[in-house]
Amino acid sequence: MRWSEYDSNVITICNIRDPTTSIVLSKQYTGYGRIPVATERVSEGYQYTVELLHDDVTRQVKFQSEDHFKVGEIRGYQKFIRVRRLLEEGYLNEEGSILIRLSIRPANLALRCQYQEEYQTLKEDKLRTQFNTQLNQNAMRIKSLRDDNVSLQALVYPEYASNIFVVRNFTALREAQEDICSDNAYDDLGCCWRLIVYANGDKEGRDEWLSVYLRLLEGIPGSYEYCVELLHNDAAKTVKMEGTQSFDIQERFGWTRFARLDWICANGFVSEEQDALYFRFSLRPPNYKAKCEYHHLLRLDAKRECELLKRELIPAYSTMTYTLRNVSEMQRKDSFIYSDPLVDDLGFSWRLLIYANGHNEARGNHLSIYLILFEGVSASRFEYRVELLHPQNPTANIKMEGVNVFKLKKIWGWPQFMDHERLQEEGYLDQSADTLEFRLSMCPPDIKLKCEYQQEFIRKLKEHQK
């Protein structure tokens, strides 16, 4: 490229006829030798030409000058061309836009070389800055991914539950040919584990090897990751056995040849002051999914144990069934009838008081039922259940149940137990036999009260015999 030539760009400016157009900006212009004009330098000298183009070259409006530019500073011509001339003399093309050609170059050859050198340095600095920024961003992203990976592993792989076991009097245990067990160690699932150490070896390892075993005493049988370590003051010498093993309840797993006894004694594993070996054993489910499954199984076991405990602590109901006969005839009378007595396992006597035609305000349209403690300890707290049985559909039984304090010979119940119309329509009344079937169930709320009532009832019977 010869020095006399400018670097030129033609700019299309649209919306000239739009009266709302207050300012029109061209795209950023890159000048001579790819040197930015007044965008990244402080103050530089340039020669420039601005031309408003026309189909007739002789009518083109041209302005040429040389100036120094500062960043963000505006240079231009307030009276470049009259608007009327612009609109009437063919400067607008068919789309209503105009064309402006901008040509620019450094003021002289020396400046051009200087600008190119400085721009190259500037570009390298920018590229270096961009590279360092991107490198830092990537480093932060990698660190974030590593942190996320650690967090994910903490979820996928549960933490170990670790325990320290000290085998004291090691020399005496070797001489006595005895094994020793750790205390019960519980993991965070609630499973109970023990470490068993044979100080003088077990079976084929006797007299030469230290034998170590793990045992699952209670909990959920299944696959577990284990880590058993014979500790040393120098961590690099610690003897470690780790892996994954399926454990059954009370079944031991381990190593008859865990470590040679002579090597242990020669390498400072035995504390001289306390004559002791130090073990650490750690256990966990192999992954988070397995841990959740074990948790579920433990909850089921706990639920079963709770049900068994309830059966022991909560007394069973004493139950009897009573049939009310000639119901249609009784519904025409205002009389009542007592059920057969229910004598519970405490010796208390209970009865239902039944008004087939209703009692008091329920008379004439309802079945009324009351519960009475005839014999026993007054002011006793009992759970009760009174049921009207359906002849064909047990799921339709009408059930009244709860807890109440009963006094001797005092009635307690339901004047409006069920209306006569419902008895007929829903089939509770056996039409062929003209009967209603009832079931009465009673028991104290817990075993403690049952024992107290039993003792009080026995005391009353002894006093009555005297």
Side-chain angles (χ1 to χ4, degrees), residues 123-137:
K123 188 162 72 171
E124 289 175 359
D125 290 342
K126 289 187 68 175
L127 288 173
R128 190 179 298 108
T129 302
Q130 290 174 355
F131 175 78
N132 289 334
T133 301
Q134 194 168 17
L135 188 63
N136 291 335
Q137 290 176 348

Side-chain angles (χ1 to χ4, degrees), residues 52-91:
L52 176 58
L53 303 183
H54 195 285
D55 292 339
D56 183 354
V57 178
T58 61
R59 290 192 173 187
Q60 291 180 355
V61 180
K62 182 176 181 180
F63 187 89
Q64 187 171 7
S65 184
E66 179 178 332
D67 212 337
H68 283 75
F69 287 88
K70 293 182 179 180
V71 176
E73 184 180 32
I74 298 175
R75 296 294 178 124
Y77 323 101
Q78 293 182 351
K79 298 179 180 180
F80 185 75
I81 187 173
R82 290 182 178 276
V83 175
R84 183 174 180 179
R85 180 184 172 192
L86 180 72
L87 298 176
E88 294 178 355
E89 296 185 11
Y91 289 95

Side-chain angles (χ1 to χ4, degrees), residues 130-340:
Q130 290 174 355
F131 175 78
N132 289 334
T133 301
Q134 194 168 17
L135 188 63
N136 291 335
Q137 290 176 348
N138 288 338
M140 292 178 63
R141 191 176 294 112
I142 290 170
K143 182 180 181 300
S144 177
L145 289 172
R146 284 175 178 169
D147 292 343
D148 291 344
N149 187 47
V150 171
S151 300
L152 183 61
Q153 284 185 349
L155 291 175
V156 176
Y157 299 102
E159 292 185 4
Y160 277 104
S162 298
N163 298 271
I164 299 294
F165 174 41
V166 182
V167 178
R168 304 187 188 279
N169 301 319
F170 176 67
T171 304
L173 288 171
R174 284 193 65 186
E175 292 173 354
Q177 304 282 329
E178 292 182 357
D179 64 299
I180 185 170
C181 296
S182 70
D183 294 333
N184 292 348
Y186 294 88
D187 59 24
D188 56 358
L189 285 170
C191 299
C192 182
W193 301 84
R194 270 187 178 174
L195 190 70
I196 307 167
V197 176
Y198 286 80
N200 202 47
D202 179 38
K203 298 179 180 177
E204 65 270 17
R206 191 174 296 277
D207 298 326
E208 295 183 5
W209 293 85
L210 180 73
S211 301
V212 180
Y213 302 96
L214 268 173
R215 175 173 285 163
L216 174 61
L217 293 183
E218 296 175 0
I220 300 299
S223 181
Y224 290 86
E225 288 187 5
Y226 62 83
C227 180
V228 179
E229 300 166 273
L230 175 58
L231 303 180
H232 194 281
N233 291 332
D234 181 359
K237 292 184 177 180
T238 295
V239 180
K240 181 187 294 186
M241 297 292 185
E242 57 185 344
T244 304
Q245 176 65 27
S246 180
F247 288 87
D248 287 325
I249 303 295
Q250 296 294 341
E251 182 179 337
R252 74 179 190 179
F253 163 81
W255 308 269
T256 305
R257 299 181 177 184
F258 186 86
R260 289 192 65 88
L261 289 168
D262 54 358
W263 181 80
I264 289 174
C265 296
N267 285 274
F269 284 89
V270 183
S271 169
E272 294 181 0
E273 295 180 1
Q274 299 182 356
D275 189 27
L277 288 178
Y278 292 84
F279 288 88
R280 179 169 57 219
F281 58 103
S282 308
L283 293 132
R284 70 180 181 186
N287 52 57
Y288 192 71
K289 179 184 176 184
K291 184 173 182 178
C292 292
E293 291 174 352
Y294 295 170
H295 263 303
H296 178 66
L297 293 173
L298 283 168
R299 284 198 297 269
L300 292 179
D301 281 350
K303 188 176 180 180
R304 283 192 290 268
E305 290 179 4
C306 185
E307 291 297 327
L308 292 173
L309 187 62
K310 281 183 178 179
R311 292 176 187 175
E312 294 179 2
L313 296 180
I314 299 176
Y317 278 98
S318 297
T319 301
M320 73 132 191
T321 302
Y322 171 71
T323 302
L324 178 64
R325 305 184 185 280
N326 301 319
V327 176
S328 300
E329 181 181 348
M330 291 189 63
Q331 285 178 342
R332 294 191 290 269
K333 302 177 181 179
D334 293 334
S335 59
F336 61 87
I337 190 170
Y338 284 110
S339 72
D340 297 332

